[in-house]
Every structure is written in C-alpha cells, then in structure tokens.
Amino acid sequence: MALRDLSDSAGLRERKKAETQNLLRTTALDLFTKKSFSEVSVDEIATTANVSRSTFFRYFGSKEAVLFDDIDESGDVFLSHLEGRPGTEAPWRAFEAAMMTITSQSTGDEELDREQRAVDELLRNDPALLGRRLALLE
C-alpha cells in the first residue's frame, strides 16, 4: 500500500522500499489464499518473494503484521465516519452506519480492493486470525 502512496518525486530508495514491502504483502496474501495463514511460514514468504528472512522482518514485525499493519489507519477512518454521524442517532445505529460506510467503500484501486477482499476472506475462514485482529483493534 505504501507504493501507491508515493509520488513521482519520491527518491529511488523510498520507491525501492515501497516496492519490496508491496512485493512481500502481495506474496504473503497469495500464499495465505492458496494455503491458509497457519500453513505459511515467514521463510516461505521470503523465499517466494526472493528476499531474505531478515528483509521480511525489516518490513513486517511478524506474519500477522502483513495483514494487520493498517489497523491504526483504518481505525482513524472509521472514527471520522462515526463522528460524522448525526448526534441524534442511536449509538448502535451510528456504529453500524459508520461500519457499513467503510466496508462498502471501494478505494478505486483495483489491487488494493483485491488485497482487502483477500484479507476479509482470510478473517472469515480463520477464527484465530479474526481473534488476533479483534485483540489488536481493542
């Protein structure tokens, strides 16, 4: 996702870093989708992406971070939608409406939307992963 955020004026080093991070994320998501999250190792992600294990850990602190590194950002987006709801609205209705808004929005970027659908599918099919995500959100 960082690659898409870089402008044309970004330096070569920043672009290369963003490309590597995106390669690792895409590779991991593809492997998680083909197998399952629990059956894929960091070593397998790194090998498939043609980078070292230490390179993987320069970009992601753990295998879970590939899926959950955007939680702070998405939480901020959710809060802005929640705060934008009418003050007269019931709290649960406001929560539901804000959640529906962010989950139904397309980014306009086909690759980002595909990645988000893959993550959503992984969470639906793996209760342990969903539990980890909920713990991080808390």
Side-chain angles (χ1 to χ4, degrees), residues 95-114:
F95 179 89
E96 178 185 40
M99 186 61 75
M100 293 301 294
T101 300
I102 64 167
T103 57
S104 66
Q105 287 181 333
S106 169
T107 64
D109 183 322
E110 204 171 298
E111 180 64 19
L112 278 177
D113 290 340
R114 183 191 69 77

Side-chain angles (χ1 to χ4, degrees), residues 5-138:
D5 296 336
L6 289 176
S7 68
D8 291 334
S9 64
L12 177 62
R13 183 176 186 179
E14 289 80 17
R15 287 194 312 268
K16 287 291 194 183
K17 284 177 149 180
E19 288 171 5
T20 301
Q21 184 177 27
N22 283 318
L23 172 64
L24 287 166
R25 179 179 289 110
T26 302
T27 301
L29 286 174
D30 287 345
L31 289 169
F32 296 157
T33 301
K34 288 175 186 168
K35 296 180 176 190
S36 73
F37 180 82
S38 62
E39 291 181 24
V40 176
S41 69
V42 168
D43 288 331
E44 185 176 6
I45 296 166
T47 300
T48 305
N50 201 29
V51 300
S52 69
R53 178 181 173 86
S54 62
T55 297
F56 176 89
F57 285 112
R58 263 184 254 148
Y59 293 93
F60 299 102
S62 67
K63 189 169 71 164
E64 290 85 357
V66 173
L67 299 175
F68 305 140
D69 69 340
D70 67 336
I71 284 181
D72 288 339
E73 183 181 322
S74 60
D76 292 342
V77 171
F78 172 74
L79 285 175
S80 70
H81 285 288
L82 185 61
E83 290 168 352
R85 301 298 306 165
T88 57
E89 194 169 50
W92 280 112
R93 175 67 191 120
F95 179 89
E96 178 185 40
M99 186 61 75
M100 293 301 294
T101 300
I102 64 167
T103 57
S104 66
Q105 287 181 333
S106 169
T107 64
D109 183 322
E110 204 171 298
E111 180 64 19
L112 278 177
D113 290 340
R114 183 191 69 77
E115 287 177 6
Q116 188 56 55
R117 285 191 303 275
V119 170
D120 291 345
E121 185 68 22
L122 287 166
L123 293 174
R124 270 194 295 280
N125 294 321
D126 190 330
L129 262 183
L130 181 57
R132 288 180 196 148
R133 181 167 179 104
L134 292 174
L136 286 170
L137 287 170
E138 189 179 317

